[in-house]
């Protein structure tokens, strides 16, 4: 959720409710992370905003653990509507699932139609997020219990329509919708990967949709009911046009109240970019180019790494031809302000790591895709095949302009992931002599902008795909969908 657009989104939701009083409003996760306001208040400022929007159901996302388990429970507990998730459990203390943290499903009846909502979040959270964030939580794959709940909703509860509320990412959701365990589900309402699905993706057992990102789109499914029967349906993705949908004043006033103590910091200009800042492309983008330029400059290591983030609203130049980079926007780009971590790795460990990272993004089997963009780096150049099998993806690697030497030690840096083993940096293992600097990612970017602003972070081709489009906008393939 993005505070800049959420008040406009609320106006659109209220308009839909006026048109149809039987509207059910849903949020599929990542509600408390992604801005300086959320960071400064540890998500507390978002609770009254969400409650004023008056959702009917929530499903937790992969970033709901950003302030650790106990705070996640408090934040979600402060929301007025039910939270549904069938695959998050309290850890018994030995890594096995105990009691569920949230109720698995919710049933809502409208016009005599019973609709069952079953929730699932990303079971890969302990790998995708710093492991310490989800300590005390056990995640399971949807396939472990989805059949049980579908039969319960369809059989015992006699639901007329079943919807999965999912924060698995589009590839995982497509894989699930093609899995026989999903038979009996009508739709998967997805989250996590911020894809703009304008026409439902037709899979073998269910249809899949996802409604964009940053409170800038609303997905709307209309069910036509006659005489207690569903006789038709239609889906559309509605853009939150701020001119067409002026900011809801109640939401705007809540945001203003909570932002006021932090406005000086949020609006502080750290520097400028001469070109648009965006993170839309899977392979390279201007936003991460700026981040890795800053890390390489600050640390002097051989290889500076940036995680494969896929979120953050883009920004275009103002009337002066510059993009102001504020402290608030830095939090949008890098919501987790971790210390910079440095270590040494031998060349023969780098290529296997690259193969795994590329497989996470481009795996032929949809269920194996991780839900993030390709990891970014400065100081290393990679030519790769995205769509070859794992083990055959890496074509050429150079470091410092020279072919990678399997016997040479290279210094690397990335953000610290709390809870990672000592020999890990950015999911790269076998790293030696690791230590965390006293300065953070934000410190590095701030110092870089102070020294070099205005910057022109044009991607330099450090990553080149040999069997696909360099400006790829989605990691989803093999289905009737194109990001637009």
């Amino acid at each position: 959720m993005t505070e800049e657009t959420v008040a406009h989104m609320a106006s659109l939701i209220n308009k839909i409710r006026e048109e149809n009083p039987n509207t059910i409003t849903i949020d599929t996760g990542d509600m408390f992370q992604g801005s300086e306001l959320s960071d400064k208040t540890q998500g507390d400022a978002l609770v009254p905003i969400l409650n004023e929007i008056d959702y009917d159901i929530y499903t937790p996302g992969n970033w709901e653990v950003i302030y650790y388990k106990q705070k996640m429970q408090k934040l979600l507990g402060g929301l007025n509507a039910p939270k549904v998730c069938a695959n998050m459990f309290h850890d018994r203390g030995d890594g096995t699932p105990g009691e569920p943290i949230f109720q698995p499903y919710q049933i809502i009846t409208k016009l005599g139609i019973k609709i069952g909502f079953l929730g699932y979040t990303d079971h890969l959270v302990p790998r995708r997020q710093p492991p310490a964030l989800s300590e005390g939580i056990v995640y399971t794959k949807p396939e472990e219990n989805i059949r049980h709940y579908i039969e319960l909703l369809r059989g015992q509860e006699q639901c007329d329509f079943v919807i999965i509320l999912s924060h698995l990412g589009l590839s995982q959701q497509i894989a699930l919708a093609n899995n026989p365990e999903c038979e009996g589900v009508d739709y998967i309402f997805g989250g996590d990967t911020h894809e703009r699905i304008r026409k439902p993706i037709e899979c073998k057992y269910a249809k899949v949709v996802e409604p964009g990102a940053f409170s800038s789109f609303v997905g709307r499914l209309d069910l036509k009911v006659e005489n207690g029967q569903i006789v038709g349906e239609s889906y559309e993705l509605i853009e939150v046009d701020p001119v067409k949908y002026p900011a809801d004043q109640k939401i705007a006033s809540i945001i203003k109240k909570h932002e006021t103590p932090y406005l000086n910091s949020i609006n502080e200009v750290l520097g400028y970019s001469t070109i648009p800042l965006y993170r839309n492309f899977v392979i390279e983008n201007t936003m991460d180019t700026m981040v890795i330029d800053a890390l390489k400059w600050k640390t002097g290591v051989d290889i500076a790494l940036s995680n494969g983030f896929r979120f953050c609203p883009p920004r275009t130049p103002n009337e002066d031809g510059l993009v102001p980079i504020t402290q608030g926007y830095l939090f949008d780009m890098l919501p987790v302000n971790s210390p910079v971590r440095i270590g040494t790795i031998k060349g023969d460990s780098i290529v296997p790591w690259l193969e795994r990272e590329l497989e996470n993004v481009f795996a032929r089997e949809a269920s194996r895709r991780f839900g993030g963009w390709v990891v970014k780096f400065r100081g290393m150049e990679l030519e790769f095949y995205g769509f070859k099998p794992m083990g055959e993806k890496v074509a050429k690697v150079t470091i410092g302009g020279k072919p990678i030497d399997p016997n040479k030690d290279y210094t690397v840096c990335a953000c610290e992931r709390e809870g990672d083993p000592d020999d890990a940096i950015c999911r790269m293992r076998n790293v030696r002599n690791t230590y965390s600097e006293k300065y953070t990612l934000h410190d590095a970017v701030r110092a870089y902008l102070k020294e070099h602003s205005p910057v022109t972070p044009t991607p330099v081709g450090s990553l080149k795909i040999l069997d696909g489009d360099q400006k790829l906008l989605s990691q989803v393939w093999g289905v009737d969908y194109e990001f637009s």
Side-chain angles (χ1 to χ4, degrees), residues 341-345 409 422-423 425 431-436:
R341 191 160 176 79
I342 295 176
T344 303
I345 188 166
D409 286 336
D422 288 341
D423 72 338
I425 290 182
V431 187
R432 309 187 317 279
N433 307 318
T434 56
Y435 64 95
S436 293

Side-chain angles (χ1 to χ4, degrees), residues 53 67 161 249 294 350 394 429:
I53 295 174
Y67 312 114
F161 208 81
Q249 291 307 300
I350 293 176
V394 174
R429 300 301 300 269

Side-chain angles (χ1 to χ4, degrees), residues 22 24 107-117 159-160:
N22 295 302
I24 301 169
I107 296 172
I108 296 178
T109 302
K110 298 282 188 180
L111 301 175
I113 299 297
K114 291 182 73 173
I115 304 176
F117 296 92
C159 289
D160 302 286

Side-chain angles (χ1 to χ4, degrees), residues 18-306:
E18 290 172 5
E19 295 172 0
N20 182 4
N22 295 302
T23 296
I24 301 169
T25 310
I26 298 157
D27 192 301
T28 53
D30 282 2
M31 296 166 279
F32 302 105
Q33 178 261 15
S35 70
E36 185 171 2
L37 177 63
S38 58
D39 179 86
K40 295 293 188 184
T41 65
Q42 287 212 314
D44 288 339
L46 284 302
V47 173
I49 298 170
L50 292 163
N51 281 334
E52 181 61 34
I53 295 174
D54 197 22
Y55 286 98
D56 293 287
I57 313 177
Y58 298 94
T59 292
N62 60 302
W63 280 109
E64 252 61 77
V65 297
I66 181 64
Y67 312 114
Y68 307 97
K69 177 188 176 185
Q70 187 175 356
K71 184 65 175 183
M72 175 199 73
Q73 291 176 266
K74 183 177 180 181
L75 289 170
L76 287 164
L79 301 176
N80 295 335
K83 281 67 64 177
V84 296
C85 188
N87 68 328
M88 289 179 72
F89 302 88
H90 295 287
D91 191 335
R92 293 181 185 273
D94 59 1
T96 61
E99 293 296 315
I101 297 176
F102 305 103
Q103 65 187 67
Y105 64 87
Q106 178 77 12
I107 296 172
I108 296 178
T109 302
K110 298 282 188 180
L111 301 175
I113 299 297
K114 291 182 73 173
I115 304 176
F117 296 92
L118 175 61
Y120 288 98
T121 196
D122 186 5
H123 59 281
L124 297 171
V125 166
R127 289 174 60 195
R128 291 182 61 190
Q129 269 63 45
L133 301 185
S134 56
E135 186 175 342
I137 303 172
V138 175
Y139 296 82
T140 60
K141 294 182 178 181
E143 295 86 344
E144 294 187 32
N145 63 16
I146 191 172
R147 189 74 245 142
H148 164 74
Y149 285 116
I150 293 171
E151 290 175 354
L152 187 153
L153 291 169
R154 286 291 190 182
Q156 176 180 306
E157 298 296 339
Q158 301 172 57
C159 289
D160 302 286
F161 208 81
V162 174
I163 298 173
I164 301 291
L165 306 183
S166 163
H167 198 93
L168 300 170
L170 185 54
S171 292
Q172 299 276 345
Q173 284 146 190
I174 290 170
L176 185 61
N178 283 318
N179 189 320
E181 296 292 302
C182 200
E183 186 173 5
V185 172
D186 294 284
Y187 268 83
I188 296 179
F189 286 1
D192 180 52
T193 37
H194 314 307
E195 301 277 0
R196 299 174 186 174
I197 299 178
R198 302 178 188 277
K199 182 182 70 172
I201 298 172
E202 298 264 1
C203 299
K204 188 171 183 179
Y205 298 102
K207 299 173 184 176
V208 180
V209 294
E210 222 178 78
F214 320 127
S215 310
S216 54
F217 292 89
V218 170
R220 176 175 177 173
L221 174 65
D222 285 291
L223 299 180
K224 185 177 180 181
V225 177
E226 292 180 0
N227 301 318
Q229 299 290 323
I230 299 173
V231 298
E233 64 178 59
S234 63
Y235 179 84
E236 65 176 320
L237 185 66
I238 307 172
E239 185 173 356
V240 181
D241 183 338
V243 176
K244 189 175 181 179
Y245 306 106
D248 179 90
Q249 291 307 300
K250 286 186 179 179
I251 299 293
S253 66
I254 294 172
I255 294 172
K256 182 178 180 181
K257 173 186 174 183
H258 288 278
E259 273 191 340
T260 297
Y262 311 106
L263 277 180
N264 287 341
S265 176
I266 291 171
N267 294 329
E268 179 191 358
V269 177
L270 308 178
Y272 298 88
S273 171
T274 63
I275 59 177
L277 293 175
Y278 57 84
R279 204 174 246 156
N280 302 76
F281 296 145
V282 175
I283 298 170
E284 283 191 308
N285 58 63
T286 58
M287 199 174 292
D288 285 307
T289 296
M290 185 184 74
V291 172
I292 54 179
D293 283 347
L295 284 174
K296 186 78 164 64
W297 169 81
K298 179 69 175 175
T299 63
V301 297
D302 296 315
I303 308 166
L305 304 170
S306 178

